[in-house]
Amino acid sequence: MKKSLCIGIDNYKTSPLSGCINDATCISELLKRNGDGSTNFEVKFEKDVSSTSNMKELIVDLFNGDCDTVLFYFSGHGFLNEFGGYIVTPDFKKYDEGVPMDYILNVANKSKIKNKIIILDCCHSGAMGNTDVSDNKSSLSEGLSILTACRNTELAEEINGHGVFTNLLLEALKGGAADLRGNISPGGIYSFIDRSLGAWYQRPVFKTNVTRFVSLRTVMPQVPDDILRSIIEYFPNPTDEFPLNPSFEDTNSLNVEHEVIEPYANIENTKIFKKLQKLQSVGLVVPVEADFMYFAAMESRSCKLTPLGHHYWNLAKEDRI
């Protein structure tokens, strides 16, 4: 069972924002279902939470219980002083700026829920997880991951109705950060966003204390599992090469107006070749002494596993796919 709390706040008395409710709305809608339409997180969406006490109550309620995974997403103002970072509520005032990030960390650290993910899109959000604002030390309980829009010294930008960070987070959750099997993990999301931001932009921060990543959402896999498992069938050893000849290329047929070479296309071999081409398209297989799989077949050469292919060979061999 998975549950999520998504909060967006635009309506601050001073310095109102324009994209935070939009951000939280889009994130909450995306988290509700996986790419195939199956149910995912049970989401509570809250906008313009009016006070620090209301915000604290919602956060405590989220991290209570015994479900498998919880996710807290916040988009709004952030604040940093010598005592630490804060997510700002509309009732903020001097010396009471909102919910301290230390408070959220403390609640999450004490939670018995196995997998806990905190995502903040606000200025100075990189302070989340720091127990000492001066030396950037973190203390995260097992199972906790934190993903923030920027370092504690930076501002989080908005553009075209979304935060820059959340705009990329949405693309990551739609499938941009999916692995070959269609799983989207916090680590995959960070890697996707980090690669998408240039050196002059805000830098996202990722902190985690996990022994395995949980999938936040699934989408259609790039390669079906049955094809991934076939790696050990075609390559009995990870260093083996798979011999090819013209019979693997389905256009090498007398039925196709084309220069053909014996042996002609064999239906069983062409099925295998299409699977090898699928593996080649995602970087698991490469042709040997040829630029393309087509020429490797027509010139009776071979194909072999890449280092990433070796990794998936090991997963298939150990029945982990």
Side-chain angles (χ1 to χ4, degrees), residues 61-304:
D61 189 41
L62 173 70
F63 287 98
N64 269 335
D66 57 358
C67 65
D68 296 323
T69 303
V70 297
L71 186 152
F72 174 55
Y73 170 86
F74 172 79
S75 179
H77 273 307
F79 180 76
L80 181 72
N81 62 20
E82 66 272 29
F83 303 111
Y86 301 78
I87 58 173
V88 179
T89 46
D91 64 340
F92 73 95
K93 54 188 176 185
K94 194 172 183 180
Y95 302 122
D96 187 12
E97 286 78 7
V99 179
M101 294 180 188
D102 276 355
Y103 176 86
I104 304 170
L105 179 66
N106 193 34
V107 172
N109 276 341
K110 290 180 177 177
S111 171
K112 296 179 180 178
I113 292 171
K114 190 184 303 180
N115 304 296
K116 296 155 285 191
I117 301 96
I118 297 171
I119 301 176
L120 304 183
D121 188 354
C122 59
C123 298
H124 313 295
S125 50
M128 181 69 220
N130 291 357
T131 52
D132 187 330
V133 70
S134 62
D135 61 11
N136 281 337
K137 288 184 178 177
S138 297
S139 178
L140 276 58
S141 64
E142 185 173 350
L144 177 58
S145 296
I146 297 170
L147 184 58
T148 69
C150 58
R151 297 187 180 103
N152 60 353
T153 56
E154 293 177 330
L155 304 180
E157 303 289 341
E158 273 189 2
I159 186 171
N160 297 329
H162 285 295
V164 169
F165 170 80
T166 294
N167 202 35
L168 292 169
L169 175 61
L170 289 168
E171 293 304 312
L173 288 171
K174 288 175 182 174
D179 64 15
L180 294 183
R181 303 183 66 195
N183 294 309
I184 301 170
S185 71
I189 291 173
Y190 173 75
S191 178
F192 176 85
I193 295 176
D194 181 58
R195 290 196 307 268
S196 303
L197 291 172
W200 294 94
Y201 286 90
Q202 64 195 62
R203 300 306 308 167
V205 176
F206 183 50
K207 303 168 186 175
T208 190
N209 179 13
V210 297
T211 54
R212 61 187 296 273
F213 277 131
V214 63
S215 180
L216 302 186
R217 191 169 186 265
T218 59
V219 295
M220 187 70 71
Q222 297 179 55
V223 183
D225 282 355
D226 65 318
I227 294 181
L228 285 176
R229 285 192 290 268
S230 69
I231 282 182
I232 57 175
E233 176 185 343
Y234 304 139
F235 302 92
N237 295 294
T239 55
D240 287 347
E241 293 184 9
F242 186 91
L244 299 169
N245 63 55
S247 71
F248 284 85
E249 171 54 46
D250 62 354
T251 63
N252 185 42
S253 166
L254 294 172
N255 298 322
V256 178
E257 191 173 339
H258 187 72
E259 184 179 351
V260 296
I261 305 171
E262 292 189 51
Y264 301 134
N266 171 290
I267 189 167
E268 292 302 319
N269 284 348
T270 58
K271 288 179 181 176
I272 294 172
F273 195 53
K274 288 185 184 303
K275 291 181 181 179
L276 291 170
Q277 287 177 306
K278 186 68 178 176
L279 295 171
Q280 186 258 340
S281 71
V282 293
L284 303 187
V285 165
V286 288
V288 175
E289 297 179 343
D291 290 335
F292 302 99
M293 290 291 280
Y294 170 84
F295 293 112
M298 297 301 285
E299 296 171 5
S300 296
R301 301 190 186 279
S302 62
C303 61
K304 65 180 183 180

